Amino acid sequence: MAQDPIIMMNHVGLIKTDHRGRMISVLKDIKLSVLSTEIHALIGPSGSGKSSILRLLNRLEEATSGDIYIEGKTIGQWQVRDLRNKIGFVFQESSLFPGTVMDNILYAPRIRGIKKSKEKSVAKEMIAMVGLEESFLDKEITRLSGGEKQRVNIARTLAAKPEIILLDEPTAALDPASTQTIEQLILNLNQEYKKTIVFVSHNMQQVKRLSHHIAVIKQGETIYQGTAEDFIEQHGEDMSFL
Amino acid sequence: MNYMESITTGQVLLALVLVCIALYLSFYFKVNLEKDILVATIRAFLQLMLIGYLLTFIFNLKSPIYTTVMIFFMAGIATYHAGKRGEAVQGSYWISGIAIYGTTIITIGILSGFGIIPYEPQMIIPVAGMVIGNVMNAASLALMRMHDELKDKQNQIEAALSLGASPRQAANPAIQKAIQISMIPVIDRAKIVGIVSLPGGMSGMILAGASPLAAVRFQVIIMYMLLGSPFLTVGIAVALGYRQYFTKFMQLKL
Ligand SMILES: Nc1ncnc2c1ncn2[C@@H]1O[C@H](COP(=O)(O)OP(=O)(O)OP(=O)(O)O)[C@@H](O)[C@H]1O
Ligand SMILES: [Mg+2]
């Protein structure tokens, strides 16, 4: 039996007004179909609209046209809070809160009124999931390396127990060793913890390593949906034509 | 008749010697402020004369209604200025209005309701003037600071929203910062009062012949009022202000 996609976007458009009040068509015709079991990549040149797509899925913005379905319900049918609890968003690292690793990881649990006595065990569980030592919990965010920050960032999102995880260029600022750790973590989250993953990347090699399906975005339009392998077969690995 | 009542126009004109010194220095150092100094001199004179005649008129009426109208008029001017300075915040005028009018009504209500200061124009209008001038600055400072914080911390606020925070929770760091920044000067002033600075009102009372201890008692009332009222204004302003930055779908809009 064919699986129903957990995320569907049909002809989605997003028009924004810039600071001078001019209308800008950020997304024109986005199609996307993500299965609950998969790692799905969004790839495309800078400014093509990849981050905007993730923002729409987390309802940080309203689409101007088209339909977005999550588990078969339109995004408007969801209570915003339920939607955001289901879909976690890993932003760039600059979105970490000032304070300790523990403060960051416990942000979502505390909002939901976690008992003080449970805090430590939840924090330990999350930090272990991203492969960091327990001793990190008391460290200040400012003292972490880029790779450590990104893992804390992911742990903070995981603590909200999302079923779907959106990651915006999770390895953009990282060296090759940290990149490999994060890639392994993404694979783990999907295979071991059964999370649906949608991530943005500039790197076709990485996309090929991680994803089951990809969507190629160009100037606010989806120009390809399928596997990375098929796309490379048709167009080669050189993305510069985009 | 004491000295205050006997000041003549001639004495006022003689004080212009001090302005002339300023003019000469501006000319000497070529700082190009001569025109500004002249304008300021003339404006100060005209505005104060005008307010002098207006206050004389209202004091003579001895009508609580005109007193109230005068206070509301002052609050209106302050609202306009605070709203204009906080223009980056959507709805800054009505937000400042609610904050300033609300604070004025509550503060003056407490002062005269408890019989601390009688509701007579000679007493309550200058006091209201102090309250309003004071909270006007606090309101616009708080609104501007909140705006900057929300803008700078956009990433963190959206991260908080996406982790399930309400707009109030997500904006909380910005709200706290805005309150702290706008209240620090108010609290600092209360801390050093009497040591570093003699408040203008107290100096005025002593000049007018009141005993220092009477002047001090009155000044303490004023200081407590000037400490409490900006907090009220800032609280109202940010509580209304942060809501302007979120949609009903808990989205940050800048
Ligand atoms: N608030 C805004 N006002 C004006 N233009 C905007 C706004 N937000 C986004 N855009 C524009 O929309 C386009 C898509 O932005 P988006 O961040 O989604 O691209 P992206 O594919 O993630 O790019 P990158 O790879 O550089 O991160 C860009 O051209 C951007 O300049
Ligand atoms: Mg982007």
Side-chain angles (χ1 to χ4, degrees):
Chain A
M1 197 183 85
Q3 219 187 329
D4 282 335
I6 192 166
I7 297 172
M8 275 270 279
M9 294 177 105
N10 287 332
H11 307 295
V12 170
L14 173 65
I15 296 170
K16 292 211 187 200
T17 35
D18 69 5
H19 58 281
R20 294 210 198 109
R22 285 179 311 200
M23 309 274 257
I24 295 177
S25 191
V26 174
L27 300 178
K28 299 185 193 86
D29 185 11
I30 295 298
K31 299 183 223 39
L32 188 67
S33 175
V34 179
L35 302 177
S36 66
T37 49
E38 75 171 324
I39 299 180
H40 194 106
L42 301 179
I43 189 164
S46 187
S48 56
K50 306 176 296 296
S51 300
S52 304
I53 294 172
L54 297 191
R55 292 170 60 79
L56 288 179
L57 291 175
N58 212 227
R59 210 170 180 190
L60 292 167
E61 286 178 59
E62 292 293 298
T64 337
S65 57
D67 302 301
I68 303 173
Y69 297 93
I70 310 293
E71 287 186 340
K73 281 201 285 181
T74 67
I75 210 155
Q77 288 170 321
W78 284 87
Q79 288 292 321
V80 178
R81 227 197 231 104
D82 294 343
L83 180 85
R84 290 185 185 153
N85 287 342
K86 180 172 284 287
I87 306 181
F89 195 147
V90 179
F91 295 79
Q92 310 114 289
E93 62 188 52
S94 65
S95 74
L96 286 169
F97 306 127
T100 64
V101 170
M102 176 114 161
D103 292 333
N104 273 272
I105 292 180
L106 290 176
Y107 191 84
R110 279 176 180 158
I111 277 178
R112 298 179 194 173
I114 188 183
K115 285 207 193 77
K116 222 123 195 109
S117 57
K118 293 253 176 69
E119 286 191 344
K120 194 83 187 188
S121 69
V122 168
K124 280 183 190 169
E125 185 193 341
M126 294 306 144
I127 202 83
M129 263 175 100
V130 297
L132 285 177
E133 299 288 324
E134 225 182 278
S135 60
F136 273 90
L137 286 175
D138 295 323
K139 284 201 183 170
E140 290 288 321
I141 289 297
T142 44
R143 320 212 69 160
L144 303 181
S145 74
E148 290 160 356
K149 276 187 193 158
Q150 191 58 291
R151 283 196 268 179
V152 172
N153 199 359
I154 293 173
R156 179 178 71 172
T157 300
L158 288 174
K161 307 259 181 229
E163 290 166 37
I164 304 170
I165 301 177
L166 315 173
L167 301 103
D168 197 352
E169 302 195 38
T171 63
L174 304 184
D175 60 33
S178 307
T179 298
Q180 217 202 333
T181 325
I182 297 292
E183 287 186 3
Q184 193 54 51
L185 176 57
I186 291 173
L187 287 169
N188 261 352
L189 289 175
N190 177 249
Q191 284 158 15
E192 210 176 306
Y193 297 99
K194 306 294 173 210
K195 310 281 187 193
T196 312
I197 307 275
V198 180
F199 78 103
V200 168
S201 177
H202 276 293
N203 181 337
M204 195 46 121
Q205 280 305 318
Q206 177 177 62
V207 163
K208 205 169 100 186
R209 281 196 294 274
L210 296 179
S211 60
H212 301 96
H213 291 100
I214 70 168
V216 180
I217 313 296
K218 185 185 176 185
Q219 292 177 3
E221 290 181 42
T222 305
I223 60 164
Y224 175 85
Q225 284 184 282
T227 63
E229 287 76 9
D230 286 347
F231 185 78
I232 293 167
E233 206 164 282
Q234 289 168 33
H235 302 279
E237 293 212 355
D238 184 14
M239 300 284 295
S240 54
F241 74 92
L242 280 174
Chain B
M1 195 142 75
N2 69 19
Y3 157 74
M4 282 286 175
E5 295 293 326
S6 67
I7 296 177
T8 64
T9 314
Q11 284 168 306
V12 172
L13 290 177
L14 279 174
L16 278 175
V17 171
L18 296 168
V19 174
C20 292
I21 293 175
L23 276 175
Y24 174 73
L25 286 177
S26 167
F27 176 74
Y28 181 82
F29 288 111
K30 299 203 170 28
V31 284
N32 242 338
L33 289 174
E34 294 90 331
K35 200 173 143 220
D36 289 311
I37 293 172
L38 278 177
V39 171
T41 307
I42 294 166
R43 273 190 67 162
F45 181 77
L46 291 179
Q47 285 170 10
L48 290 173
M49 286 304 283
L50 200 70
I51 200 73
Y53 281 115
L54 188 63
L55 289 179
T56 308
F57 175 72
I58 290 175
F59 288 2
N60 288 338
L61 285 175
K62 294 223 179 286
S63 144
I65 293 172
Y66 281 101
T67 304
T68 308
V69 169
M70 180 69 192
I71 292 173
F72 272 51
F73 175 72
M74 294 191 296
I77 304 263
T79 294
Y80 173 76
H81 281 287
K84 194 169 173 65
R85 260 204 280 164
E87 227 162 20
V89 180
Q90 233 186 63
S92 66
Y93 287 95
W94 69 260
I95 291 171
S96 305
I98 293 178
I100 291 174
Y101 276 96
T103 305
T104 307
I105 291 169
I106 292 171
T107 310
I108 299 299
I110 290 174
L111 287 177
S112 56
F114 289 168
I116 301 169
I117 295 177
Y119 201 79
E120 279 163 21
Q122 296 92 305
M123 305 299 298
I124 213 75
I125 288 177
V127 167
M130 282 187 265
V131 173
I132 292 168
N134 195 42
V135 301
M136 174 181 85
N137 289 327
S140 56
L141 198 59
L143 283 179
M144 284 191 301
R145 184 55 185 230
M146 188 183 63
H147 178 80
D148 291 345
E149 286 290 317
L150 289 170
K151 251 191 140 139
D152 288 353
K153 306 260 161 71
Q154 182 177 356
N155 280 338
Q156 289 173 21
I157 292 167
E158 291 194 322
L161 289 172
S162 116
L163 290 165
S166 65
R168 171 75 179 75
Q169 289 166 326
N172 202 43
I175 291 173
Q176 286 173 335
K177 201 42 157 250
I179 296 178
Q180 283 164 353
I181 292 292
S182 51
M183 291 312 293
I184 284 170
V186 171
I187 294 169
D188 279 352
R189 190 183 46 202
K191 277 189 200 155
I192 60 160
V193 71
I195 303 173
V196 179
S197 67
L198 269 193
M202 192 173 122
S203 311
M205 280 178 72
I206 295 172
L207 285 170
S211 77
L213 279 180
V216 162
R217 272 198 297 272
F218 186 71
Q219 190 57 43
V220 171
I221 296 176
I222 300 296
M223 282 316 293
Y224 289 170
M225 169 186 94
L226 296 185
L227 197 59
S229 55
F231 228 109
L232 199 55
T233 308
V234 165
I236 298 172
V238 297
L240 296 171
Y242 89 86
R243 286 166 215 266
Q244 308 305 307
Y245 291 85
F246 295 91
T247 69
K248 64 175 186 235
F249 300 120
M250 303 201 247
Q251 293 152 330
L252 179 67
K253 53 168 183 187
L254 284 172

